[in-house]
Amino acid sequence: MNETLKLLKSHQSIRKFKEDPIPKAFIEAIIDAAQMASTSSFLQAYSIISIGDMAVRSEIARLSGDQKYIVSAPTFLVFCADLHRLSLACKKQGVPYESGYAETFIVATVDAALAAENTIIAAESLGLGGVFIGGIRNNPKRISELLKLPDEVYPVFGMCLGFPDHAPGPKERLPKKVVFHEEVYKDADESVMDAYDERIRAYYIERTHGKKSESWTESISEKIAHETRDHMKSFLESKAFNRK
Ligand SMILES: Cc1cc2nc3c(=O)[nH]c(=O)nc-3n(C[C@H](O)[C@H](O)[C@H](O)COP(=O)(O)O)c2cc1C
């Protein structure tokens, strides 16, 4: 296995960090790598905001379900889908711009996600670790106000980065044949899912010393079966995203 594959296979979310700050040269290299992610039609429809102000960080942590590592991480980034800059480009060219398409909402969100994945991979390659923070979408309106996001910019997720102070270990993913289909889509065999469920249950029991013992389907059904962040539709529309 080459070094890149080894790095990708060893990914694990890090939620405990040493106090050491991330050297500036590392941040530069990481953001350079983020910017080299593929981007739909070369639109580069995202922005990354680094939050150094600890009062703002504390407020973001509070708004994101009290996730303490938002404060304890040496670096905290917010990845935004950004169509605002594209509207300015059209203005510069004197071309009428129409906002609100579902398609451009997808484009900008995917662009932000691709840049973020490059970010965490680049960070891990430098011996850092991190975790995405979707929790910022618990209160996207307040977060947008704090970060002074204009219309057509919305916070997709945050990311904590720093030198790891624990090693929870990689989490086993679904069996390849469950997510990788040949020619046409096919549901996984029940026995394959049953076996995976039991392996994840065993993983949680070991990792949490018995405090958590859910299988994969138990854990995800609890998360996905109910309304999740049902404020997002009206919030996105209020920021001129996904109106048509
Ligand atoms: C978009 C996104 C949002 C996430 N939000 C959170 C979060 O708010 N808090 C958290 O602790 N982990 C969060 N995670 C981390 C996931 O829980 C984690 O990636 C997943 O459980 C797999 O574990 P691993 O990254 O250690 O392999 C998020 C991950 C992604 C991709």
Side-chain angles (χ1 to χ4, degrees):
M1 215 189 298
N2 67 37
E3 292 307 311
T4 306
L5 292 174
K6 268 191 217 156
L7 179 77
L8 292 171
K9 292 269 288 180
S10 64
H11 162 75
Q12 50 196 281
S13 287
I14 295 299
R15 298 179 177 86
K16 285 185 194 147
F17 300 94
K18 296 195 169 128
E19 281 182 11
D20 314 55
I22 302 179
K24 212 163 174 271
F26 279 26
I27 299 288
E28 293 282 319
I30 289 167
I31 301 302
D32 278 348
Q35 286 196 262
M36 288 313 290
S38 292
T39 160
S40 188
S41 305
F42 199 29
L43 292 178
Q44 307 179 72
Y46 65 92
S47 285
I48 307 168
I49 305 178
S50 174
I51 315 291
D53 184 325
M54 294 316 283
V56 174
R57 274 236 233 147
S58 297
E59 180 64 357
I60 294 176
R62 195 185 64 76
L63 294 168
S64 307
D66 272 328
Q67 301 199 53
K68 307 278 183 247
Y69 27 96
I70 295 175
V71 176
S72 60
T75 293
F76 182 69
L77 305 174
V78 176
F79 288 81
C80 302
D82 185 352
L83 297 171
H84 169 70
R85 193 165 47 233
L86 307 185
S87 74
L88 296 181
C90 290
K91 197 169 166 194
K92 180 178 176 192
Q93 291 303 319
V95 173
Y97 169 80
E98 221 183 308
S99 65
Y101 286 104
E103 172 60 15
T104 48
F105 161 67
I106 293 169
V107 161
T109 306
V110 169
D111 267 11
L114 295 175
E117 187 59 14
N118 265 25
T119 298
I120 202 155
I121 294 168
E124 288 170 358
S125 79
L126 293 165
L128 299 164
V131 63
F132 284 72
I133 302 292
I136 65 167
R137 295 194 309 276
N138 289 357
N139 280 290
K141 186 170 181 285
R142 184 73 193 108
I143 302 269
S144 301
E145 286 163 2
L146 277 172
L147 307 186
K148 300 191 174 19
L149 304 185
D151 278 354
E152 298 203 79
V153 180
Y154 89 92
V156 186
F157 40 68
M159 187 185 288
C160 301
L161 289 175
F163 289 100
D165 200 22
H166 71 152
K171 260 189 197 167
E172 180 187 327
R173 298 308 203 242
L174 285 161
K176 218 173 272 103
K177 60 184 165 199
V178 176
V179 300
F180 182 60
H181 309 254
E182 291 190 42
E183 315 306 343
V184 292
Y185 189 94
K186 194 170 170 287
D187 281 339
D189 290 343
E190 239 175 72
S191 61
V192 173
M193 293 308 295
D194 287 348
Y196 182 66
D197 261 346
E198 291 317 311
R199 290 201 298 280
I200 293 300
R201 190 193 305 286
Y203 162 85
Y204 279 133
I205 289 172
E206 195 193 321
R207 181 168 153 186
T208 65
H209 305 291
K211 281 195 207 110
K212 185 171 170 175
S213 59
E214 290 165 317
S215 70
W216 185 74
T217 52
E218 278 169 358
S219 150
I220 64 111
S221 58
E222 215 164 90
K223 286 187 187 120
I224 214 78
H226 319 287
E227 276 178 4
T228 56
R229 296 182 184 135
D230 61 343
H231 52 266
M232 281 309 290
K233 188 172 189 299
S234 58
F235 166 73
L236 286 169
E237 288 176 3
S238 77
K239 296 295 277 179
F241 279 98
N242 204 23
R243 287 177 176 168
K244 54 199 168 201

